[in-house]
């Protein structure tokens, strides 16, 4: 479950890629260590002034929990709560170390609240600058303000999240945890001549599931006009058709994005207000909401080549976006002065006025374009990193290489129109240094932080030397212990990019598991040699 508190400012300056990496690390751990219950991600505003906002991100779970005495060492490299955790779940603990480093680089702090057997909450706080101009501001539609909504869900966290959202959208709302309580609440409201307009129902509930509850509501003559929205975490083929026939107005799959839920309420309530009663309203789903978003997003294609214009317009038509095309930057400026487009696809090399100059005019407050902050996506045949830098320096928001693939264009449009959580564009990685050290893979995992890579490699070498010493001792009759240590070393070596050692420890692990004990001595010698080679290689590489 995910919840960004509505109080959190929408337009901030920061590093979305690294925030995403931290949340991915923490959430991945939470899922891995949680067999039953739930994992929730929350973002709350702690304090703000005119320039900055201090946010608290948290990832909570109902998993195995962590004893207090080992919590302090969790953020150290290659550390787990205990050795049994490593054996059962795998991993080296490097993700928490990376997360700590990234948070500290943002001048933030990170920590944990946990009790063994009772789940964990990993949290971090960062201060982000506010943007001076945030583009289009969010607004609350008057069409849903004041409508009365009942939330029915047996999960308290889900009810809390939905109630907080409905409160921010100025809806009148109440919540219950089961079907029987919902029927009682709905009937009481109807008797008081203040009926609920809409019910948000969870599908998977004990005793009475969401579909049964919906059918009972619609079968009651006092309640049959209530609008029903189903929310499920286990969507199955055929659900949508069956629920539509049962009388539900919308069907959403969890986790539901805030924007999808908001648009769903507007669509369902708007359809009820505008319906003539003669036609059946379409079932609202996440797919139809995305289609509606596309149809309301107007694209301007700026391209001097007629063939390229036609191809771009055809792709956009297929994706469901209404679009117009002009032949150069000057025509683009005229169009943007008159028509409220939502996004611009800009060719860079054009006669009369090229894409760089046109983008500069769009961004200038002295120009007469309607939206100076409109997203501009460069489309160019030049694929070098320097070309990308030039485009971004000119004020463009993104960079696509021709010929543009439909799926790539679709992701870019969704990203910049706010209808997707697509990751930011990722720069090309560095070259792989071969079978000894996977420099590219390690840098990718560390988001390109070379200084941190040096720190990790230093820690890894010390750790590997210690593990090798323990393996040599365990070889004297402790094969089970040797296998455990080999497994640990294999994981840490893979994380650190020590390809040569990872491959040789894998051979050792395979020999032990398959009873080829005569090979163990030779393989331990090869690991020792590989570690020496790795140290020499890395020292040269990092000079």
């Amino acid at each position: 479950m995910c919840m960004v508190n509505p109080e959190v400012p929408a337009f901030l300056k920061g590093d979305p890629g690294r925030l995403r990496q931290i949340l991915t690390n923490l959430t991945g751990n939470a899922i891995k260590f949680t067999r039953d219950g739930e994992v929730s991600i929350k973002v709350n505003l702690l304090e703000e002034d005119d320039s900055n906002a201090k946010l608290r991100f948290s990832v909570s779970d109902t998993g195995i929990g962590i004893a207090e005495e080992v919590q302090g060492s969790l953020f150290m490299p290659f550390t787990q709560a205990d050795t049994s955790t490593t054996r059962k779940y795998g991993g080296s603990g490097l993700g928490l170390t990376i997360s700590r480093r990234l948070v500290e680089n943002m001048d933030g702090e990170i920590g944990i609240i946990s009790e063994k057997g009772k789940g964990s909450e990993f949290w971090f706080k960062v201060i982000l600058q506010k943007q001076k101009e945030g583009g289009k501001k969010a607004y609350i539609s008057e069409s849903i303000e004041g409508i009365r909504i009942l939330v029915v869900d047996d999960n308290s966290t889900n009810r809390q999240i939905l109630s907080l959202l409905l409160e921010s959208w100025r809806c009148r709302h109440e919540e219950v945890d089961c079907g029987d309580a919902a029927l009682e609440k709905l009937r009481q409201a109807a008797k008081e001549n203040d009926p609920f307009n809409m019910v948000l129902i969870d599908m998977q509930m004990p005793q009475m599931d969401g579909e049964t509850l919906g059918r009972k509501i619609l079968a009651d003559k006092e309640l049959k006009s209530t609008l029903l929205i189903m929310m499920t975490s286990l969507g199955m083929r055929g659900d949508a058709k069956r629920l539509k026939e049962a009388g539900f107005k919308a069907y959403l799959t969890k986790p539901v994005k805030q924007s999808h839920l908001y648009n769903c309420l507007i669509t369902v309530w708007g359809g009820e207000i505008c319906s003539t009663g003669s036609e059946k309203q379409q079932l609202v789903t996440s797919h139809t909401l995305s289609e509606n978003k596309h149809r309301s997003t107007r694209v301007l294609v700026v391209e001097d080549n007629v063939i390229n214009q036609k191809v771009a317009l055809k792709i956009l038509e297929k994706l469901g976006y209404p679009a117009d095309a002009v032949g150069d930057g000057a025509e683009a400026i005229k169009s943007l002065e008159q028509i409220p487009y939502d996004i611009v696809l800009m060719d860079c090399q054009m006669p009369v006025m090229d894409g760089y100059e046109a983008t500069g005019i769009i961004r200038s407050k002295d120009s007469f374009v309607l939206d100076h902050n409109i997203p501009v996506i460069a489309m160019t045949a030049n694929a070098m990193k320097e070309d990308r830098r030039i485009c971004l320096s000119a004020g463009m928001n993104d960079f696509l290489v021709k010929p543009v693939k439909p799926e790539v264009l679709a992701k870019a449009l969704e990203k910049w129109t706010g209808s997707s959580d697509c990751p930011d564009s990722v720069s090309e990685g560095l070259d792989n240094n071969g079978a000894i050290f996977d420099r590219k893979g390690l840098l990718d995992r560390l988001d390109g932080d070379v200084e941190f890579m040096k720190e990790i490699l230093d820690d890894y070498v010390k750790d590997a030397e210690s593990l090798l010493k323990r393996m040599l001792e365990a070889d004297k009759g402790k094969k089970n212990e040797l296998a455990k240590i080999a497994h640990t070393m294999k994981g840490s070596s893979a994380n650190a990019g020590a390809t040569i050692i990872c491959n040789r420890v894998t051979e050792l692990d395979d020999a032990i598991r398959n009873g080829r004990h005569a090979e163990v001595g030779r393989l331990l010698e090869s690991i020792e040699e590989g570690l020496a080679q790795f140290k020499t290689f890395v020292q040269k590489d990092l000079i």
Side-chain angles (χ1 to χ4, degrees):
M1 292 167 287
C2 302
M3 177 65 208
V4 179
N5 194 300
E7 293 181 350
V8 174
F11 301 100
L12 298 168
K13 288 184 178 180
D15 191 324
R18 284 170 171 77
L19 283 173
R20 185 180 297 110
Q21 182 180 3
I22 297 165
L23 288 171
T24 299
N25 285 340
L26 299 183
T27 306
N29 280 345
I31 293 170
K32 180 165 64 173
F33 296 121
T34 303
R35 179 175 179 178
D36 302 299
E38 65 188 48
V39 173
S40 62
I41 305 170
K42 296 181 181 178
V43 188
N44 287 295
L45 176 67
L46 295 179
E47 57 188 69
E48 65 176 327
D49 55 31
D50 292 339
S51 303
N52 301 299
K54 186 175 185 179
L55 306 184
R56 184 184 191 272
F57 295 76
S58 68
V59 178
S60 303
D61 64 65
T62 55
I64 61 176
I66 300 168
E68 184 176 358
E69 59 268 20
V70 297
Q71 291 177 18
S73 62
L74 282 176
F75 296 97
M76 302 299 292
F78 310 110
T79 300
Q80 290 279 19
D82 56 53
T83 55
S84 64
T85 300
T86 303
R87 290 197 301 272
K88 183 174 181 180
Y89 297 99
S92 66
L94 188 58
L96 292 179
T97 310
I98 295 171
S99 298
R100 184 207 70 197
R101 176 64 179 264
L102 294 176
V103 170
E104 290 175 350
N105 282 353
M106 297 179 190
D107 296 323
E109 55 181 318
I110 189 170
I112 179 177
I113 302 170
S114 183
E115 185 176 344
K116 193 170 181 64
K118 295 186 178 180
S120 304
E121 179 192 21
F122 282 88
W123 57 266
F124 63 95
K125 302 174 185 177
V126 292
I127 298 175
L128 301 175
Q129 288 184 324
K130 290 183 175 180
Q131 294 184 21
K132 292 182 180 179
E133 298 173 5
K136 298 179 180 178
K137 300 294 188 277
Y139 68 96
I140 306 301
S141 171
E142 293 180 0
S143 65
I144 64 170
E145 185 175 345
I147 66 172
R148 196 173 188 199
I149 301 177
L150 179 65
V151 175
V152 189
D153 198 317
D154 63 306
N155 185 285
S156 60
T157 308
N158 272 335
R159 295 198 306 273
Q160 178 190 10
I161 289 173
L162 290 172
S163 295
L164 189 60
L165 291 175
L166 295 174
E167 183 73 25
S168 72
W169 299 333
R170 297 197 283 272
C171 299
R172 300 165 60 208
H173 61 91
E174 295 183 45
E175 58 178 76
V176 292
D177 61 2
C178 66
D180 289 330
L183 289 170
E184 182 180 348
K185 183 78 71 173
L186 289 166
R187 288 165 181 158
Q188 183 63 34
K191 286 181 182 178
E192 296 171 355
N193 291 320
D194 187 17
F196 285 92
N197 307 111
M198 197 178 296
V199 186
L200 302 180
I201 306 175
D202 179 42
M203 173 73 100
Q204 290 79 29
M205 294 188 293
Q207 299 174 346
M208 185 190 303
D209 64 29
E211 183 177 350
T212 303
L213 172 60
R215 291 181 183 275
K216 286 190 175 186
I217 293 172
L218 296 175
D220 189 316
K221 63 180 182 180
E222 299 295 328
L223 307 176
K224 64 181 181 181
S225 62
T226 310
L227 303 173
L228 305 182
I229 296 176
M230 178 66 80
M231 302 176 69
T232 178
S233 53
L234 296 172
M236 304 291 288
R237 184 181 295 275
D239 281 353
K241 181 180 179 182
R242 191 180 68 255
L243 292 171
K244 181 181 179 182
E245 291 172 350
F248 282 80
K249 299 298 183 183
Y251 172 72
L252 300 176
T253 304
K254 298 178 182 178
V256 180
K257 291 175 62 177
Q258 293 180 29
S259 59
H260 276 181
L261 179 60
Y262 180 71
N263 291 333
C264 177
L265 297 183
I266 292 175
T267 303
V268 170
W269 186 240
E272 175 69 9
I273 293 172
C274 300
S275 176
T276 62
S278 60
E279 74 281 350
K280 276 196 171 182
Q281 187 180 336
Q282 181 186 22
L283 184 74
V284 177
T285 65
S286 296
H287 178 68
T288 61
L289 290 170
S290 294
E291 283 187 336
N292 290 339
K293 173 70 175 177
H294 290 182
R295 284 194 289 269
S296 64
T297 300
R298 196 165 184 179
V299 182
L300 178 63
V301 177
V302 188
E303 169 68 66
D304 66 304
N305 183 282
V306 176
I307 302 300
N308 289 344
Q309 276 189 12
K310 289 182 178 180
V311 171
L313 291 174
K314 190 64 178 178
I315 294 174
L316 291 167
E317 179 186 350
K318 187 175 182 180
L319 295 174
Y321 291 94
D324 301 315
V326 294
D328 60 57
E331 291 182 17
I333 298 301
K334 291 179 182 177
S335 297
L336 292 169
E337 290 174 348
Q338 300 169 19
I339 300 172
Y341 287 99
D342 297 287
I343 196 162
V344 179
L345 300 179
M346 182 78 76
D347 183 32
C348 294
Q349 307 297 332
M350 295 180 290
V352 184
M353 182 186 293
D354 64 26
Y356 306 119
E357 184 181 354
T359 302
I361 294 174
I362 291 170
R363 300 294 183 232
S364 171
K365 300 304 176 187
D366 296 327
S367 69
F368 297 101
V369 300
L370 299 177
D371 182 3
H372 298 291
N373 297 308
I374 187 171
V376 177
I377 300 177
M379 295 197 306
T380 175
N382 299 323
M384 303 300 290
K385 287 183 179 180
E386 179 63 15
D387 297 302
R388 175 183 174 81
R389 187 194 65 76
I390 293 171
C391 289
L392 297 180
S393 298
M396 299 178 183
N397 300 89
D398 213 336
F399 178 95
L400 299 179
V401 179
K402 296 178 183 177
V404 178
K405 297 179 180 178
E407 61 271 20
V408 174
L409 178 58
K411 287 183 179 180
L413 291 170
E414 288 171 358
K415 170 182 165 184
W416 291 107
T417 58
S419 58
S420 173
D421 294 327
C422 295
D424 294 323
S425 301
V426 180
S427 300
E428 295 177 16
L430 302 175
D431 291 336
N432 192 333
N433 282 329
I436 295 178
F437 174 37
D438 182 9
R439 190 176 195 272
K440 174 185 179 300
L442 179 57
L443 274 174
D444 285 346
R445 288 190 288 279
L446 303 179
D447 260 10
D449 191 332
V450 175
E451 290 302 313
F452 192 35
M453 179 182 72
K454 295 178 182 179
E455 180 180 322
I456 289 297
L457 290 173
D458 185 56
D459 287 339
Y460 166 75
V461 168
K462 293 175 183 175
D463 185 67
E465 288 174 336
S466 173
L467 290 173
L468 177 60
K469 183 178 180 181
R470 288 173 57 197
M471 285 198 296
L472 292 170
E473 292 173 356
D475 185 39
K476 302 169 184 177
K478 298 179 181 178
K479 298 301 181 188
N480 288 337
E481 183 67 14
L482 177 60
K484 294 173 186 176
I485 301 170
H487 184 79
T488 299
M489 191 174 191
K490 182 168 67 172
S492 62
S493 299
N495 260 317
T499 310
I500 186 172
I501 303 173
C502 183
N503 290 340
R504 294 183 183 186
V505 176
T506 300
E507 288 182 50
L508 174 65
D509 187 41
D510 182 70
I512 296 170
R513 283 189 290 106
N514 291 287
R516 302 196 309 274
H517 301 302
E519 299 178 26
V520 170
R522 175 184 63 79
L523 291 171
L524 284 172
E525 289 180 5
S526 75
I527 292 169
E528 192 170 10
E529 292 171 0
L531 181 57
Q533 285 181 265
F534 179 78
K535 287 172 61 177
T536 302
F537 188 92
V538 166
Q539 286 169 356
K540 289 180 180 178
D541 184 72
L542 297 181
I543 292 175

